[in-house]
Amino acid sequence: MTTASAPTGVASFHDILRIAGCRHHFPLLRQLVNGKPLVYFDNAATSQKPQVVIDAMVRYYETENSNIHRGVHYLSERATQAYEGVRTKVRDFMHAEDQREIVFVRGATEAINLVAHSFGRRYVHAGDEILVSEMEHHSNIVPWQILCEELGATLKVIPMNDRGELLVEEYERLLSEKTKIVAVTHVSNALGTVNPIKELVARAHARGIPVLVDGAQAVPHIRVDVQDLDCDFYAFSAHKMFGPTGVGVLYGKRKWLEEMPPYQGGGDMIKSVTFEKTTYNDLPYKFEAGTPNIGGGIGLGAAIDYLHEIDLNAIQQLEHDLLFYATEKILTIPGVRIIGTAQQKAGVLSFTMQGIHPHDIGPILDLEGVAIRTGHHCAQPVMKHFGVPATARASFALYNTKEEVDAFIKALHKVIEVLG
Ligand code: PMP
């Protein structure tokens, strides 16, 4: 986590050195783009993968590949052990109480859809309300909207201020006996805001309302402790935290997961099937129909090991300094407006340039080897709030450096030369 206001000093010098040396763990970063050293600032979209993650997946396919849970042969047992071992790693990574609370899914999007469908079908009825925030990614809006349309429930929105911070008093006002669930992001992908999840959860729980946290942008930056947050559900994708695409996690408190109906039907999620009646498997398998992304799961396990090696506290410190540095530098460029100036920010610098469409910034930066993202970042309500069609977004990860920020700033000056 980082604030754009001032650097702090939590991590040890030793930790910082360990991180500074980690860039060479990422083979993709060694390439030139358009003849320039690649500056990869599109980490909020997806992060790059360290060699250990790539190797773990190759090793799995070379030596262990087999289907899991059902096999009685050597390879199947090895693959099952490896895959279930990752569940234990995820449990420890999130500090969940029980590994039955860890459901493997395709990513954050599927995790949220799972809860919307399953929890929604069991607990939400016509006239009820679901509370999301104004800064949500579309994947934490649309599944709830679909549910509301189907059931005749209403989607309510927690507003934010012009710094991109949620209005907690407004939130309190919106909570009522009609509210069936609160679904809110830990870190905004469009603004970088880190939300006060513990407080939001406590206020909802005071009224007996469960909370789902979209952690897609938090896990690569912040140490997440689901017991400390006391959230009821927590969703994330492996690919934003140095793991592969196509795999992610839904954490859910057992008391909810036990009660919730299955999300999808198929192999592995059943105990017995007859045409008259099917009984469902125990947790977490009840929610894991079909052959999962086993190789991806192995990659996620390797990414968690890697993050342990590096130390998340040290990552926070480094990214904090980088964001502070980039924020100071970008504000020296005439006509730049930063979108998202919350006190608590992590890893994201969203901005516009006066008189230049954000979509025109990206291609010029690309010619300089700098990869950023331009667009609405799947958060159109955020764009609406700030009265912009889109923003340019630089997003940082543990392998980024101040020298890269300098190259990015130089490239922005080129944008002004060409288009300004
Ligand atoms: N929530 C947030 C805050 C995100 O940034 C993203 C990805 N941009 C998602 C959810 C969806 O993640 P995925 O596409 O990996 O399912």
Side-chain angles (χ1 to χ4, degrees):
M1 188 193 334
T2 183
T3 72
S5 49
T8 57
V10 206
S12 72
F13 183 60
H14 177 70
D15 287 333
I16 300 288
L17 275 185
R18 267 201 302 169
I19 296 184
C22 79
R23 192 179 170 82
H24 72 274
H25 299 151
F26 294 79
L28 181 139
L29 297 175
R30 284 176 215 141
Q31 65 189 286
L32 300 180
V33 169
N34 292 320
K36 308 274 168 54
L38 168 64
V39 173
Y40 186 76
F41 280 176
D42 195 17
N43 294 288
T46 196
S47 64
Q48 298 307 339
K49 322 302 171 200
Q51 191 67 52
V52 284
V53 168
I54 299 167
D55 288 348
M57 294 175 70
V58 169
R59 203 167 41 246
Y60 168 75
Y61 282 115
E62 281 180 351
T63 65
E64 286 182 331
N65 177 53
S66 190
N67 212 330
I68 55 170
H69 296 152
R70 283 154 283 190
V72 289
H73 56 82
Y74 171 76
L75 279 182
S76 177
E77 270 175 27
R78 262 183 67 179
T80 303
Q81 265 177 23
Y83 190 70
E84 289 303 324
V86 176
R87 206 185 297 277
T88 312
K89 283 182 191 176
V90 173
R91 178 200 66 195
D92 296 344
F93 177 67
M94 310 180 78
H95 195 224
E97 202 179 332
D98 189 320
Q99 68 185 43
R100 285 170 289 188
E101 298 176 317
I102 306 299
V103 179
F104 287 124
V105 287
R106 214 157 37 86
T109 302
E110 190 177 42
I112 297 165
N113 274 278
L114 188 161
V115 179
H117 279 254
S118 173
F119 178 95
R121 258 186 287 151
R122 172 62 46 98
Y123 295 104
V124 182
H125 301 99
D128 288 341
E129 292 176 356
I130 291 165
L131 201 48
V132 298
S133 90
E134 199 182 355
M135 69 175 76
E136 296 311 309
H137 187 280
H138 296 164
S139 59
N140 202 23
I141 300 173
V142 184
W144 303 112
Q145 231 162 11
I146 294 172
L147 182 75
C148 285
E149 271 171 25
E150 273 174 18
L151 299 178
T154 306
L155 195 69
K156 293 277 183 174
V157 182
I158 313 160
M160 63 182 170
N161 63 23
D162 292 342
R163 290 191 300 275
E165 295 163 326
L166 292 184
L167 299 176
V168 177
E169 295 314 317
E170 290 294 312
Y171 166 66
E172 179 75 47
R173 223 174 37 77
L174 284 163
L175 292 169
S176 79
E177 66 286 352
K178 287 188 188 163
T179 316
K180 286 295 167 294
I181 189 165
V182 174
V184 69
T185 194
H186 198 164
V187 175
S188 157
N189 68 310
L191 302 165
T193 309
V194 181
N195 284 319
I197 294 298
K198 224 175 143 167
E199 182 182 356
L200 300 181
V201 170
R203 289 183 186 233
H205 282 184
R207 294 165 180 266
I209 302 164
V211 178
L212 173 140
V213 180
D214 172 358
Q217 295 294 342
V219 282
H221 304 294
I222 293 174
R223 186 172 297 289
V224 170
D225 181 332
V226 287
Q227 290 188 71
D228 182 52
L229 294 174
D230 200 24
C231 56
D232 299 271
F233 302 99
Y234 197 97
F236 71 87
S237 302
H239 72 94
K240 293 184 199 281
M241 51 169 280
F242 317 111
T245 50
V247 64
V249 169
L250 172 69
Y251 157 82
K253 278 187 183 164
R254 257 184 79 196
K255 67 167 181 178
W256 294 116
L257 294 182
E258 294 282 6
E259 293 291 315
M260 284 159 49
Y263 167 53
Q264 295 177 331
D268 235 18
M269 53 74 72
I270 54 90
K271 270 193 177 139
S272 73
V273 178
T274 65
F275 287 115
E276 289 70 39
K277 179 153 179 68
T278 290
T279 56
Y280 303 129
N281 208 341
D282 298 326
L283 291 180
Y285 310 111
K286 181 172 83 174
F287 292 107
E288 293 183 352
T291 301
N293 182 353
I294 307 165
I298 302 299
L300 168 60
I304 289 174
D305 290 343
Y306 182 75
L307 280 169
H308 277 315
E309 252 317 284
I310 297 288
D311 185 340
L312 265 170
N313 290 332
I315 294 171
Q316 275 180 228
Q317 171 69 36
L318 181 117
E319 291 178 350
H320 173 278
D321 291 350
L322 204 59
L323 181 58
F324 183 75
Y325 182 73
T327 303
E328 274 199 324
K329 288 266 169 179
I330 205 171
L331 286 174
T332 64
I333 300 175
V336 162
R337 174 187 175 201
I338 295 181
I339 305 290
T341 50
Q343 270 297 313
Q344 299 295 317
K345 281 185 72 176
V348 169
L349 185 60
S350 247
F351 61 97
T352 57
M353 297 175 85
Q354 200 173 12
I356 300 172
H357 196 284
H359 286 307
D360 296 333
I361 300 173
I364 296 178
L365 261 57
D366 187 48
L367 287 175
E368 301 302 312
V370 180
I372 61 155
R373 176 147 301 219
T374 59
H376 53 62
H377 316 295
C378 297
Q380 287 183 357
V382 171
M383 302 299 119
K384 186 169 173 217
H385 179 104
F386 288 95
V388 293
T391 73
R393 180 187 73 185
S395 51
F396 309 114
L398 54 88
Y399 38 66
N400 292 130
T401 64
K402 287 187 177 167
E403 289 70 31
E404 288 183 303
V405 171
D406 293 340
F408 161 65
I409 298 294
K410 204 166 147 207
L412 287 178
H413 282 290
K414 264 253 160 71
V415 173
I416 294 179
E417 261 171 58
V418 178
L419 300 174

